[in-house]
Amino acid sequence: MLDDTLKAQLGAYLERVQHPFEIEASLSDSENSREMLELLQTIQGLRADKITLKTDGNDARKPSFTLRRAGAATSLRFAGLPLGHEFTSLVLALLWTGGHPPKVEQETLDNIQALDGDFDFEVYMSLSCHNCPDVVQALSLMAIYNPKIKTTVIEGGAFQEEVEKREIMAVPMVFLNGQVFASGRMSVEEIVAKLDTNSAAREAAKLDAKDVYDVLIVGGGPAGAAAGVYAARKGIRTGIAAERFGGQVNDTLAIENYISVPETTGPKLAAALEEHAKAYEVDIMNMQRAAQLIPAEQPGGLIQVKMENGGTLKAKTVILSTGARWRNVNVPGEAEYKNKGVAYCPHCDGPLFKGKRTAVIGGGNSGVEAAIDLAGIVEHVSLIEFADQLKADAVLVTKLRSLPNVSIHTNAQTTEITGADGKVNGLKYKDRATGEEHLVPLEGVFVQIGLVPNTEFLRGTVELSKFGEIIIDAKGQTNVPGVFAAGDCTTVPYKQIVIAAGDGAKAALAAFDQRRLAVVDIRQKPPGAGHALDGISGAGAAALDARSDAHRGLRGGDDHRRMAARTRLHRLSVESSGARMGLRHAVAAERGPVRRLRPGYLHLPGPGSACGGLAGAMTRATGPSVRSAWMLSRARRKRSNTVRVASASRSSSLSCTMA
């Protein structure tokens, strides 16, 4: 059953078992039962001092086995062989039953143990499904840690009659106490939250209590993860609020185009992204879905993001990386027969259509790859493409055309998915050239027509394209000050993982630059600031504002931007009428008398540059800051002692020219 290498790896894992437990198997004389017995005997032999094997079980599902810790009333059963993608689920179940701690937050374990009631879960999975392990592992953990929870993991291929009787046409499919509970990928936190009706209010209160973030990222896919890492590396307070970390990457099986990683899977990449972000102490808030973006009331103010659970997060800058989801065909029958023949993941649900007729809607890379994969499982595949030719890569199209059980229909518009008795039985399409309608008899339809951005909550707040994508500039800036965006939810072309990650990094750097040059409020006089602060604030002056673009308020003014980039004009704004006089007094207090050259110009004493002198005064007046360090850095490269200020002493702006 297991080769020597796998046995050695399994043996190393089983060394972590701390408490004795037993495996009770219910077997028949079938081939599947023989294979299960062989597997269980191997497991028991690798850790005979802690694991006891019994073969006298009488469960109705055969073959199956139960894991039960000695002295504990836990109930976790596997029906069918948990191999393929589920072998990891089996190994984890063995370790957890044996007392090895799971890699989940203690709060999650506490919430599992606090669940009260009778919960009998049945989860149907397939060995080729890469979404199933998350659900299987979550429900296994819950059964091990709460005696009121019973979990049975059922491999659909071993119990086909049961699958057909319950009309299961998509996995993972979860039943609770005999009724459909959920389908699709779910984390343990999501399942617990669905069972605990008070969890939403508690989570909302936690969010409300969070401190203000320098950068808040909404969405945890490749763009959000990269933004989180790049922002946190700058030493600023960074948070990521995500519905599920990894986003749509979790639903991707094979990834072979992420540079430097020849091959990986979506779940593995998603886990690596989260681990990397956590290494920089990014505050990750999972199971959070944004409901509203509230822009700052005034420049430099706080931006708010309201979540669907009622909680609100506050930040100085926000990066939107909400990604995209599978696009629906939006034809009659699609919603009605979802998970009843209409599916979106050929890897997960394909095995459920073994020997049946299916169709794939979409002729791009995803659609053609789905058709190729399905052709090895199902009786026949009909590929339906709206355009007059397939849009997939040539190598994929060549492979598809070589398959004997595939028919290709181009220039075909899907008009309806038909069904009877709660199941799909056909697909109608119209020939766009002739107008003739056709009916394709089948049992399954896989939709692969691209993505739609998750931006509905932004309508009326952030400027969107006609396709619902967030409109951004070259730095990821939206039309809302302080709000950036990156990834598949934006107008950036070519929705690829590597592109999303790069755009996330770019947005984080742009957000940091904005925060670095943002408003510094000195209304509150720091202890020991002395007369320098008094001088620079003048008669109640406040906000120091230095920006790389003095005309940033004139959005869309490319000429202004180019001018600012050439002259490196930086603006220092104060709120009092004594701006120039305040500056003169501040610098004089630190570096000596300030000499006026001509109207509008001052000469700052001492070595270095004008901006260096100003930065020194600011540093001593208000304490070290990112702004001061930046100005001093600029001063080292630009040596000038002349600063141009506003021509009138009553002006509210002072300009430092880095010439």
Side-chain angles (χ1 to χ4, degrees):
M1 177 63 63
L2 304 179
D3 59 33
D4 292 340
T5 301
L6 200 54
K7 284 182 182 178
Q9 292 174 343
L10 179 59
Y13 280 116
L14 292 178
E15 287 298 318
R16 303 176 187 182
V17 171
Q18 302 172 15
H19 305 299
F21 65 90
E22 68 175 28
I23 304 174
E24 183 184 83
S26 298
L27 305 170
S28 65
D29 55 0
S30 67
E31 178 63 19
N32 282 342
S33 290
R34 186 194 66 78
E35 291 179 349
M36 177 173 285
L37 179 60
E38 181 183 346
L39 173 64
L40 297 179
Q41 286 174 336
T42 299
I43 293 171
Q44 192 270 339
L46 291 172
R47 199 66 204 274
D49 60 322
K50 295 290 186 181
I51 302 174
T52 302
L53 175 61
K54 297 181 178 181
T55 58
D56 56 353
N58 59 358
D59 190 79
R61 292 188 179 97
K62 295 182 175 67
S64 66
F65 63 92
T66 297
L67 302 180
R68 188 178 297 111
R69 187 185 300 177
T74 57
S75 182
L76 171 60
R77 179 176 295 276
F78 288 87
L81 284 168
L83 299 175
H85 286 296
E86 295 302 338
F87 187 68
T88 299
S89 301
L90 171 61
V91 174
L92 289 173
L94 294 169
L95 295 179
W96 295 337
T97 303
H100 185 72
K103 292 182 178 180
V104 299
E105 299 292 336
Q106 183 59 45
E107 182 182 4
T108 301
L109 293 178
D110 294 340
N111 291 338
I112 292 172
Q113 295 170 328
L115 290 173
D116 191 18
D118 295 320
F119 305 101
D120 187 355
F121 286 103
E122 297 167 292
V123 52
Y124 290 84
M125 56 81 175
S126 72
L127 301 182
S128 62
C129 172
H130 63 283
N131 286 323
C132 292
D134 279 2
V135 179
V136 170
Q137 291 163 24
L139 293 174
S140 299
L141 182 67
M142 292 171 64
I144 292 169
Y145 274 81
N146 189 331
K148 297 180 180 180
I149 298 175
K150 178 182 178 182
T151 295
T152 303
V153 179
I154 305 160
E155 197 276 293
F159 298 91
Q160 279 288 341
E161 291 185 7
E162 187 174 333
V163 167
E164 292 178 6
K165 183 179 180 180
R166 293 185 116 167
E167 298 183 347
I168 297 170
M169 305 186 75
V171 289
M173 181 68 70
V174 181
F175 289 79
L176 174 59
N177 298 333
Q179 302 297 317
V180 175
F181 174 75
S183 64
R185 178 188 291 269
M186 294 182 74
S187 66
V188 63
E189 292 85 0
E190 289 176 287
I191 297 172
V192 172
K194 196 169 182 178
L195 297 172
D196 185 358
T197 56
N198 296 320
S199 64
R202 291 197 303 270
E203 285 299 313
K206 290 180 184 177
L207 297 184
D208 290 339
K210 295 277 187 181
D211 293 334
V212 174
Y213 294 97
D214 291 305
V215 176
L216 173 64
I217 300 152
V218 183
V229 169
Y230 268 74
R233 282 174 58 88
K234 297 296 186 180
I236 58 180
R237 177 170 165 75
T238 304
I240 298 178
E243 190 171 1
R244 55 170 180 162
F245 208 96
Q248 195 195 24
V249 167
N250 287 292
D251 303 325
T252 304
L253 182 57
I255 299 173
E256 300 174 348
N257 57 356
Y258 198 85
I259 308 305
S260 83
V261 184
E263 183 178 357
T264 187
T265 66
K268 286 182 180 179
L269 179 59
L273 292 173
E274 186 169 10
E275 184 180 356
H276 197 176
K278 287 181 176 178
Y280 286 100
E281 298 183 350
V282 175
D283 186 9
I284 296 175
M285 297 157 281
N286 273 313
M287 292 177 52
Q288 303 299 331
R289 187 180 177 91
Q292 184 183 5
L293 175 74
I294 305 173
E297 294 181 356
Q298 58 187 9
L302 297 181
I303 304 163
Q304 299 182 62
V305 181
K306 286 193 75 171
M307 300 297 173
E308 286 191 349
N309 60 17
T312 301
L313 296 171
K314 301 178 181 66
K316 299 172 184 176
T317 55
V318 169
I319 298 174
L320 302 169
S321 57
T322 49
R325 61 188 183 277
W326 293 117
R327 186 182 298 276
N328 293 322
V329 189
N330 292 321
V331 297
E334 181 182 21
E336 181 182 355
Y337 297 110
K338 186 177 181 180
N339 295 330
K340 298 296 182 182
V342 175
Y344 298 86
C345 179
H347 306 290
C348 299
D349 301 332
L352 300 174
F353 294 87
K354 184 178 181 180
K356 298 180 180 180
R357 299 165 297 178
T358 64
V360 174
I361 303 176
N365 282 343
S366 296
V368 172
E369 287 177 343
I372 293 172
D373 291 342
L374 288 169
I377 303 172
V378 305
E379 176 186 323
H380 188 270
V381 180
S382 299
L383 189 139
I384 313 297
E385 166 56 35
F386 184 85
D388 58 2
Q389 60 182 357
L390 300 181
K391 295 171 289 187
D393 295 340
V395 63
L396 295 174
V397 174
T398 301
K399 174 66 175 177
L400 181 70
R401 295 188 185 278
S402 71
L403 301 175
N405 62 334
V406 174
S407 57
I408 301 171
H409 307 277
T410 56
N411 223 11
Q413 179 182 355
T414 303
T415 57
E416 184 180 358
I417 297 172
T418 63
D421 301 324
K423 296 181 181 179
V424 167
N425 65 9
L427 178 146
K428 290 182 179 180
Y429 73 90
K430 182 177 71 174
D431 189 318
R432 297 175 60 232
T434 65
E436 185 179 357
E437 289 212 358
H438 301 269
L439 173 64
V440 181
L442 44 74
E443 289 75 43
V445 177
F446 289 83
V447 180
Q448 300 281 297
I449 59 172
L451 305 170
V452 58
N454 299 313
T455 58
E456 289 83 359
F457 73 101
L458 297 170
R459 295 192 182 278
T461 305
V462 177
E463 187 178 3
L464 306 177
S465 72
K466 65 179 181 179
F467 302 109
E469 299 169 320
I470 303 171
I471 298 174
I472 58 174
D473 65 13
K475 291 186 176 181
Q477 174 77 59
T478 71
N479 68 309
V480 179
V483 178
F484 299 79
D488 289 359
C489 64
T490 72
T491 52
V492 171
Y494 309 117
K495 312 302 187 187
Q496 299 289 314
I497 295 172
V498 68
I499 293 175
D503 283 352
K506 180 169 60 178
L509 294 174
F512 173 73
D513 278 346
Q514 185 175 92
R515 290 311 312 158
R516 178 182 67 175
L517 308 176
V519 174
V520 177
D521 194 345
I522 59 169
R523 290 186 177 91
Q524 301 297 321
K525 179 178 175 181
H531 55 282
L533 180 60
D534 295 334
I536 205 166
S537 58
L544 294 173
D545 182 11
R547 295 189 175 98
S548 61
D549 184 351
H551 300 275
R552 191 171 182 85
L554 302 176
R555 293 189 57 79
D558 291 336
D559 290 339
H560 289 299
R561 290 197 183 97
R562 284 193 290 269
M563 178 275 293
R566 288 196 304 269
T567 62
R568 311 302 292 180
L569 183 66
H570 298 270
R571 187 176 62 191
L572 173 68
S573 299
V574 298
E575 294 180 354
S576 77
S577 61
R580 185 173 64 180
M581 191 61 68
L583 175 62
R584 294 182 66 180
H585 285 298
V587 178
E590 297 298 325
R591 303 187 63 176
V594 177
R595 179 165 58 93
R596 184 176 181 181
L597 298 177
R598 61 182 183 273
Y601 288 82
L602 299 175
H603 186 80
L604 307 186
S609 71
C611 289
L614 178 57
M618 290 171 58
T619 300
R620 294 173 179 82
T622 63
S625 67
V626 173
R627 179 186 318 286
S628 300
W630 169 77
M631 294 183 72
L632 288 168
S633 176
R634 293 290 306 170
R636 294 189 187 101
R637 298 194 298 270
K638 303 288 186 178
R639 314 296 276 186
S640 173
N641 282 66
T642 301
V643 56
R644 182 184 182 276
V645 300
S647 59
S649 63
R650 298 178 62 83
S651 172
S652 63
S653 68
L654 302 170
S655 299
C656 175
T657 303
M658 311 282 280

